[in-house]
Amino acid sequence: MAKDYVGRSKPKKRTAKPSLAVSNKKRFPLPLALGVVAAIVGFSVLLFNIKGTAPTPAPELSEIVKPQATKTKPKTRLPEPPKERTYVKELEEKKVEVELAEKSAEPAKPYQMQCASFRSRDKAEESKALIAFAGLESQIRRTEGKNGAWYRVVLGPFPTKRDAERARHVLQRAKINGCQIWHWNF
């Protein structure tokens, strides 16, 4: 049998009757306070009782045995002169030969960093502006590929890879990620 929920009225809200016996105020935790006071008093009594009960250190042997008075005067010894160290002379006379590695006549290839590559020049200009806000100078290069023209945003040349890494960390702090470091291709 189906029930008709449409004609049914909502149930009445029950209101909480204030009870006269129970108050909403929290009472002071008297047992807890008494326990804390008892713990403090007990700790104080313990400290007072153990005060001064530490064992005294044993007297040292030199205090127990008194030296006997000597009738003869002890002989004073002069300190011996320091012995001559032979290795000092050897080091002064030693000659060291060092061979310097020859630097190659051809300098190492410089590095470049590519941070973006776009189809449109406008997006490349936006990326160049973001890099300029980070404090670095970049260039836009147009390259022809199989798929058409690309606009690459590159930085460099950097003489060492360490310099390129330093610039990449500056860009990463400016939230510009994805830059790649390559050898410079002229």
Side-chain angles (χ1 to χ4, degrees), residues 34-106:
L34 289 175
V36 169
V37 169
I40 292 173
V41 168
F43 186 69
S44 301
V45 169
L46 175 72
L47 288 178
F48 183 74
N49 286 336
I50 65 170
K51 182 176 134 183
T53 59
T56 57
E60 292 187 23
L61 184 61
S62 63
E63 293 175 1
I64 295 173
V65 178
K66 295 181 181 177
Q68 297 177 357
T70 59
K71 295 180 183 178
T72 62
K73 212 175 199 184
K75 295 179 182 178
T76 56
R77 296 179 76 190
L78 295 175
E80 294 181 19
K83 294 180 181 178
E84 185 73 27
R85 295 183 175 95
T86 59
Y87 66 88
V88 175
K89 288 183 181 178
E90 290 175 9
L91 287 176
E92 289 174 354
E93 296 171 1
K94 185 140 184 142
K95 293 182 180 179
V96 178
E97 295 179 18
V98 178
E99 294 181 24
L100 297 175
E102 294 182 27
K103 292 186 176 182
S104 62
E106 184 180 315

Side-chain angles (χ1 to χ4, degrees), residues 5 22 44 46 57 66 76 78 89 114 128 137 169 171:
Y5 290 103
V22 179
S44 301
L46 175 72
K66 295 181 181 177
T76 56
L78 295 175
K89 288 183 181 178
Q114 178 177 331
K128 181 179 177 181
E137 185 179 344
H169 289 143
L171 292 174

Side-chain angles (χ1 to χ4, degrees), residues 3-174:
K3 291 187 178 182
D4 184 21
Y5 290 103
V6 176
R8 188 171 154 192
S9 63
K10 292 182 181 179
K12 294 181 181 179
K13 291 184 180 179
R14 295 182 182 175
T15 57
K17 296 180 182 177
S19 128
L20 298 175
V22 179
S23 168
N24 285 344
K25 293 182 182 178
K26 290 189 176 186
R27 295 176 19 172
F28 183 74
L30 187 61
L32 179 63
L34 289 175
V36 169
V37 169
I40 292 173
V41 168
F43 186 69
S44 301
V45 169
L46 175 72
L47 288 178
F48 183 74
N49 286 336
I50 65 170
K51 182 176 134 183
T53 59
T56 57
E60 292 187 23
L61 184 61
S62 63
E63 293 175 1
I64 295 173
V65 178
K66 295 181 181 177
Q68 297 177 357
T70 59
K71 295 180 183 178
T72 62
K73 212 175 199 184
K75 295 179 182 178
T76 56
R77 296 179 76 190
L78 295 175
E80 294 181 19
K83 294 180 181 178
E84 185 73 27
R85 295 183 175 95
T86 59
Y87 66 88
V88 175
K89 288 183 181 178
E90 290 175 9
L91 287 176
E92 289 174 354
E93 296 171 1
K94 185 140 184 142
K95 293 182 180 179
V96 178
E97 295 179 18
V98 178
E99 294 181 24
L100 297 175
E102 294 182 27
K103 292 186 176 182
S104 62
E106 184 180 315
K109 289 184 180 179
Y111 291 88
Q112 74 175 351
M113 182 169 32
Q114 178 177 331
C115 289
S117 180
F118 298 103
R119 287 281 191 178
S120 69
R121 183 154 183 100
D122 294 337
K123 288 186 179 182
E125 290 289 340
E126 288 176 18
S127 180
K128 181 179 177 181
L130 288 174
I131 292 170
F133 283 130
L136 298 173
E137 185 179 344
S138 61
Q139 304 163 359
I140 297 175
R141 294 204 179 138
R142 184 174 192 261
T143 56
E144 292 291 330
K146 294 178 184 176
N147 302 350
W150 287 89
Y151 296 93
R152 298 184 310 147
V153 181
V154 295
L155 286 82
F158 298 102
T160 62
K161 189 168 184 179
R162 178 172 283 189
D163 293 334
E165 289 287 343
R166 190 174 297 123
R168 182 163 65 176
H169 289 143
V170 169
L171 292 174
Q172 286 175 346
R173 278 182 252 136

